[in-house]
């Protein structure tokens, strides 16, 4: 469950959207009516805060945050937004996430190219802090963002160095950061007299969170729509623009994992998403798709167990499509938004089952072909190696979740600029560039090169590459070559991942 907070008329140019009608939307609802209907599935309570009086609005938000036991989604009432964008922001796993629009820059300096992560900060001339570079989306440009998070935020009376973005409005804050949000809002309310007329309430909130050490992630609109409107002309433009965008296609694209391996990305996900949409529109559940994948995997094992070349080729084809439907079940779940504990458990468990039953089928086929029973040694070696890797993956994931997040530098809210914050971030960057941290960071940055990125994806021998290796080697060669490939590549992958995890555990 998510607690939704609607911000009414904001300070400055924003006005109530009650009478603004979306002519391009069927039924011509008002902006406020449409937004409320979009949000009621998240939270039928819909806490509304009138933001004309900044201090009162901040105190009201603090009250909501103090009593919240769930995540908070804060959004201005004059927002025109796609449902899918709301869904993606509220499902983010970050401690806080803000929707931003970056100011386009014709030239990117060498220093800006290094601003690649949550720890990075672009050092600048200390004598040149700027409050803003104009306006973007009707809001003053008073935020500095890096690649993945908000680095600094300014107000009319707080300078931010080299601002490059605006905070558009939607803000998602996890339950664990709700106490910090409440404290921040009360501190901001006490200094409300220092804010200017065009200081936006969401921007003020993020300003306080960042200075209090909360990592606020960023998200752009990408292929989805968001805009704040204040006049009927803006509403008409927004409605027409939004109606011209294919929200369903964006939803389908977002159903595909963005961090898949090379084989999955280029030989499965290019078309599996369309199978997922077809299945979802016909009422197939993710669990039913998982069952199809299991049946194909068992059928592939049965083909391999014959030991005959034509059946081995068919087995390779079937194991490929078993993996395709293994991807489709997750895509159906994300596209149709049907998630469950049973489905997650079935998916994880039967991925292993399909792989291991195929090992057995390959070994049986080798034996019935009269090639001897020593193949079982290789089969057990491949099974044991892969089981060990799964165990290490699971245990490291559990241990990593228990690791407290690294603390970010803080800065008093009444500090007139972000100079001390930038200095602290620069010191932090230097510290993280030394020893094991520096080595790991260098390897991470090497991922910006496409060849290195895909090499790192493939060396860990993910499930897509494993199923591809099984399909190709079994169809073209024999079970012995398949198991040797699995053992050798799997050993390299195990050594690589274990080394990386040991290094990360020591820093």
């Amino acid at each position: 469950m998510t607690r939704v907070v609607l911000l009414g008329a904001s300070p400055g140019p924003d006005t109530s959207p009650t009478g603004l009608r979306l002519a391009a939307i069927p039924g011509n609802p008002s902006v406020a009516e449409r937004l409320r209907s979009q949000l009621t599935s998240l939270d039928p309570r819909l806490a509304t805060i009138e933001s004309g009086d900044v201090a009162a609005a901040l105190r009201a938000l603090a009250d909501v945050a103090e009593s919240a036991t769930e995540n908070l989604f804060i959004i201005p009432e004059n927002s025109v937004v796609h449902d899918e964008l709301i869904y993606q922001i509220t499902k983010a796993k970050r401690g806080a996430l803000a929707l931003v629009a970056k100011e386009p820059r014709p030239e990117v300096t060498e220093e800006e190219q290094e601003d690649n992560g949550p720890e990075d900060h672009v050092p600048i001339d200390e004598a040149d802090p700027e409050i803003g570079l104009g306006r973007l989306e009707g809001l003053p440009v008073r935020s500095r963002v890096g690649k993945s998070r908000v680095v600094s935020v300014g107000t009319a009376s707080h300078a931010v160095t080299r601002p490059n973005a605006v905070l558009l409005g939607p803000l998602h804050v996890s339950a664990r950061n709700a106490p910090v949000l409440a404290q921040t809002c009360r501190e901001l309310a006490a200094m409300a007299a220092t804010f200017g007329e065009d200081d936006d309430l969401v921007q003020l909130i993020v300003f306080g969170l960042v200075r209090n050490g909360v990592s606020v992630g960023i998200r752009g609109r990408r292929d989805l729509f968001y805009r704040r409107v204040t006049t009927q002309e803006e509403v008409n433009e927004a409605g027409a623009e939004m109606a011209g965008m294919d929200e369903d296609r964006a939803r389908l694209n977002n159903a595909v994992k963005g961090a898949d391996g090379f084989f999955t990305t280029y030989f499965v996900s290019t078309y599996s998403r369309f199978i997922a949409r077809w299945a979802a529109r016909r009422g197939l559940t993710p669990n039913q798709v998982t069952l199809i994948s299991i049946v194909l995997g068992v059928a592939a094992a049965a083909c391999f167990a014959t030991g005959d070349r034509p059946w081995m080729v068919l087995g390779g084809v079937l194991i490929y499509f078993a993996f395709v439907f293994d991807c489709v079940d997750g895509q159906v779940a994300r596209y149709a938004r049907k998630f469950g504990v049973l489905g997650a458990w079935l998916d994880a468990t039967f991925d292993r089952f399909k792989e291991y039953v195929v090992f057995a089928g390959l070994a049986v086929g080798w034996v019935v072909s009269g090639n001897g029973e020593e193949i079982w040694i290789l089969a057990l070696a491949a099974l044991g190696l892969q089981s060990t890797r799964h165990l290490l993956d699971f245990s490291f994931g559990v241990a990593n979740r228990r690791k407290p997040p690294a603390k970010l530098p803080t800065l008093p809210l009444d500090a007139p600029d972000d100079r001390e914050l930038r200095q602290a971030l620069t010191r932090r960057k230097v510290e993280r560039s030394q020893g094991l941290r520096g080595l790991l960071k260098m390897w991470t940055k090497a991922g910006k090169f496409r060849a290195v990125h895909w090499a790192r994806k493939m060396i860990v021998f993910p499930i897509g590459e494993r199923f591809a290796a099984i399909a190709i080697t079994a169809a073209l060669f024999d079970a012995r070559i398949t198991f040797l490939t699995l053992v050798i590549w799997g050993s390299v992958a195990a050594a690589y991942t274990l080394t990386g995890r040991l290094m990360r555990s020591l820093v």
Side-chain angles (χ1 to χ4, degrees), residues 4-28:
V4 175
V5 181
L6 275 172
L7 302 180
S10 299
D14 288 354
T15 59
S16 173
T18 304
L20 303 178
R21 299 260 160 200
L22 285 154
I25 304 299
N28 298 335

Side-chain angles (χ1 to χ4, degrees), residues 258-449:
D260 273 330
F262 178 83
F263 181 79
T264 307
T265 299
Y266 289 103
F267 296 95
V268 177
S269 294
T270 50
Y271 68 89
S272 62
R273 68 190 72 187
F274 302 109
I275 300 176
R277 181 167 62 184
W278 182 91
R281 288 180 174 178
R282 281 152 184 80
L284 270 70
T285 67
N287 291 347
Q288 289 171 332
V289 178
T290 299
L291 182 60
I292 295 173
S293 178
I294 294 169
V295 170
L296 289 172
V298 172
C303 291
F304 291 144
T306 65
D308 294 333
R309 176 58 53 196
W311 290 103
M312 294 286 283
V313 173
L314 179 59
V317 174
L318 289 175
I319 195 62
Y320 166 72
F321 282 106
F323 177 66
V324 170
F325 279 92
D326 182 48
C327 295
V328 169
D329 63 3
Q331 292 165 5
V332 169
R334 288 184 289 274
Y335 179 76
R337 300 173 186 171
K338 293 180 179 179
F339 302 98
V341 175
L342 176 63
W345 176 74
L346 285 176
D347 187 47
T349 301
F350 284 101
D351 277 354
R352 312 289 83 78
F353 170 77
K354 283 180 296 190
E355 197 167 2
Y356 297 159
V357 78
V358 163
F359 289 179
L362 285 165
V364 169
W366 179 269
V367 173
V368 300
S369 297
N371 295 312
E373 297 188 357
E374 66 278 1
I375 194 68
W376 288 105
I377 298 175
L378 283 175
L380 290 172
L383 189 150
L385 177 62
Q386 195 54 45
S387 298
T388 302
R389 289 187 61 211
H390 289 317
L391 178 62
L392 291 173
D393 289 343
F394 174 78
S395 59
F396 182 79
V398 171
N400 210 38
R401 284 193 292 271
R402 293 174 180 169
K403 183 180 179 181
K407 292 185 178 180
L408 288 171
T410 60
L411 183 67
L413 299 187
D414 57 359
D417 56 48
D418 61 357
R419 193 164 303 181
E420 292 182 19
L421 182 63
R422 291 185 294 108
Q423 291 171 348
L425 287 169
T426 300
R427 288 193 298 269
R428 189 167 180 263
K429 180 179 178 181
V430 172
E431 292 170 0
R432 287 173 171 261
S433 299
Q434 299 172 348
L436 282 178
R437 283 184 184 274
L439 186 61
L440 288 169
K441 189 172 180 180
M442 190 188 317
W443 182 232
T444 299
K445 283 192 172 184
K448 66 183 179 180
F449 299 106

Side-chain angles (χ1 to χ4, degrees), residues 24-54:
I25 304 299
N28 298 335
S30 73
V31 172
E33 289 169 348
R34 184 176 188 276
L35 184 62
R36 285 175 177 273
S37 68
Q38 289 175 289
L39 298 173
T40 49
S41 61
L42 288 175
D43 180 12
R45 297 165 293 176
L46 290 183
T48 302
I49 295 174
E50 296 301 329
S51 54
D53 182 340
V54 175

